[in-house]
């Protein structure tokens, strides 16, 4: 009996040991499997994060086709709630892509089809405040830039700002971006005081001059000063933004807008050479980003968004017959070639026409400016000479009054008073005529320079007499203005004719009026 029980005990112990060993192996296998899943999940997150950074980089460099392909590749793989932050970022980039190419219907479709599901998943995420803010920024961006509904955009942004404030994140970068969006909205709504207040607040909060938001802030400040007609400051901030785009290779999509605005501003300031330079650069940039490739991108969007089933059906129809395929290809090649040639011709004709219009516009501007300056000079000369004639009349009147007072006999008691009156009428010509001479010389500097270059023997007095003659003054008027006798003026005129080698038949006033000032 004892031996039998011992055998049973040994069997029980062996069975218990075997079970515990089996459970230990299974437990280790579960731990290993869990570690593998966790590592795989971590690798997925790193992969998605890296690809999203590539999308942002492509967008910043204006490589929109690459960005679009990558978005389409990632989107189906991140539908789970745990990847919500990546979904928000991809939606932001995809929305931006559609708005850049003015595909408003697609922008509305992609945003509103994803809005509810994304908003639901965001509320279960630890960074829901930041993600909600980004979603609201997208919403306002679509309404203002896409749908031109500024009132709705303003409402969304104010709601988002209040939400961030309630959660104590006023100093976060996302809050500053939201404020900047509201400021841009106010600029478009001509609410300049509100826009100015927000922009100055943002400027005071930014500490890092290399932060990307500085580029957008400077663009917004430029827009503000442009709208309020402070063109000097507008140029300053636009050029700051442009410098950051070029140095940091960011926000290429706004570069064309900045270049066009700078061209317009320099044109307003009559700096035509610089305006033309910016205009050419903007056209070149526009062609490289949105010109020859923009139609390809739009077609690309259309093709990539088609249903795969329809594409397969089209392929089956095309492959029914080799003859049909060959004919279809021939038609397509010929049509494409014809369209390409027509497109190239239209492009070059428009380019030549634009260049011609721009050239004519600049020449017209120069001519108009020359005429305006000439008329302004004539007007100022007339005003100056009118004041000179009034001065002469006043002097003559004073002389007459003095002469009359000297002829009249007064009582001895009144003599000191009369003498005091006569002394007060004493004419001090020197100072007033010096001022007249200085202004007259400054106004006619261009005319004097042309005469002096062509006829170097002319003296300063000769140049003044030429100006008076051109303006139609008589020798008597010139005599009074210059304090020289009439005979002296006539002698000077004869001397001027000799220095100019004018023939007898040439009238001096006609000759001087034909001289063009530049």
């Amino acid at each position: 009996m004892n031996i039998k029980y011992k055998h049973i005990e040994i069997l029980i112990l062996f069975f218990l040991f075997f079970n515990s060993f089996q459970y230990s192996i299974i437990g280790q296998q579960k731990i290993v499997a869990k570690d593998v899943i966790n590592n795989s999940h971590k690798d997925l997150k790193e992969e998605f994060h890296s690809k999203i950074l590539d999308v942002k980089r492509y967008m910043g460099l204006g490589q929109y086709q690459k960005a679009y392909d990558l978005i389409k590749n990632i989107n189906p793989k991140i539908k789970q709630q745990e990847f919500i932050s990546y979904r928000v970022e991809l939606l932001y980039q995809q929305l931006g892509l559609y708005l850049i190419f003015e595909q408003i219907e697609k922008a509305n479709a992609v945003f509103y089809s994803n809005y509810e599901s994304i908003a639901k998943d965001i509320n279960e995420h630890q960074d829901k405040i930041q993600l909600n803010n980004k979603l609201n920024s997208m919403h306002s961006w679509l309404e203002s830039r896409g749908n031109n509904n500024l009132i709705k955009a303003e409402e969304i942004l104010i709601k988002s700002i209040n939400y961030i404030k309630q959660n104590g994140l006023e100093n976060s970068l996302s809050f500053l971006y939201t404020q900047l969006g509201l400021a841009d909205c106010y600029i478009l709504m001509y609410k300049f005081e509100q826009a100015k207040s927000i922009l100055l607040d943002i400027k005071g909060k930014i500490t890092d001059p290399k932060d990307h938001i500085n580029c957008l802030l400077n663009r917004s400040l430029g827009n503000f000063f442009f709208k309020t007609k402070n063109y000097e400051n507008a140029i300053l901030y636009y050029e700051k933004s442009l410098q950051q785009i070029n140095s940091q290779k960011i926000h290429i999509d706004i570069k064309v807008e900045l270049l066009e605005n700078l061209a317009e501003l320099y044109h307003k300031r009559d700096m035509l050479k610089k305006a033309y330079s910016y205009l050419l650069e903007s056209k070149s940039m526009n062609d490289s980003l949105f010109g020859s490739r923009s139609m390809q991108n739009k077609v690309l969007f259309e093709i990539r968004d088609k249903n795969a089933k329809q594409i397969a059906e089209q392929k089956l129809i095309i492959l029914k017959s080799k003859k049909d395929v060959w004919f279809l290809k021939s038609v397509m090649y010929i049509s494409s070639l014809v369209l390409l040639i027509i497109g190239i011709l239209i492009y070059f004709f428009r380019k030549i026409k634009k260049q011609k219009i721009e050239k004519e516009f600049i020449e017209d501007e120069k001519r108009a400016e020359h005429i305006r300056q000439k008329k302004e000079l004539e007007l100022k000369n007339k005003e100056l000479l009118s004041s000179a004639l009034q001065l002469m009349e006043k002097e003559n009147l004073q002389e007459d009054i003095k002469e009359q007072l000297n002829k009249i006999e007064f009582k001895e008691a009144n003599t000191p008073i009369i003498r005091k009156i006569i002394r007060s009428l004493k004419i001090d010509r020197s100072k007033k005529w010096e001022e007249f001479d200085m202004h007259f010389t400054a106004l006619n500097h261009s005319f004097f320079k042309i005469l002096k270059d062509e006829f170097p023997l002319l003296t300063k007095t000769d140049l003044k007499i030429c100006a008076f003659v051109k303006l139609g003054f008589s020798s008597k008027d010139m005599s009074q203005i210059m304090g020289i006798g009439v005979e002296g003026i006539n002698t000077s005129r004869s001397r001027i004719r000799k220095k100019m080698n004018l023939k007898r038949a040439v009238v001096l006033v006609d000759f001087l009026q034909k001289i063009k000032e530049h």
Side-chain angles (χ1 to χ4, degrees), residues 367-380:
R367 282 195 292 269
E369 180 65 18
H370 177 69
I371 293 167
R372 185 187 66 77
Q373 287 177 353
K374 188 176 179 182
K375 287 182 179 179
E376 189 177 337
L377 178 63
E378 288 176 359
L379 181 63
K380 286 182 179 178

Side-chain angles (χ1 to χ4, degrees), residues 43 70 235 242 256 285 410:
D43 290 343
L70 203 49
I235 288 172
L242 196 60
V256 174
M285 186 77 189
F410 298 97

Side-chain angles (χ1 to χ4, degrees), residues 215-230:
C215 175
L216 298 176
L217 175 61
N218 287 326
R219 190 272 297 261
S220 297
L221 284 165
N223 288 341
F224 170 78
F225 286 118
F226 197 171
K227 289 281 187 181
T228 54
K229 297 185 179 179
N230 187 339

Side-chain angles (χ1 to χ4, degrees), residues 312-327:
E313 288 174 357
Q314 287 175 0
K315 284 183 179 179
L316 287 173
I317 293 168
I318 292 169
L319 294 171
K320 277 183 180 179
S321 151
K322 288 183 179 181
K323 187 177 179 181
D324 291 343
V325 171
W326 179 85
F327 178 74

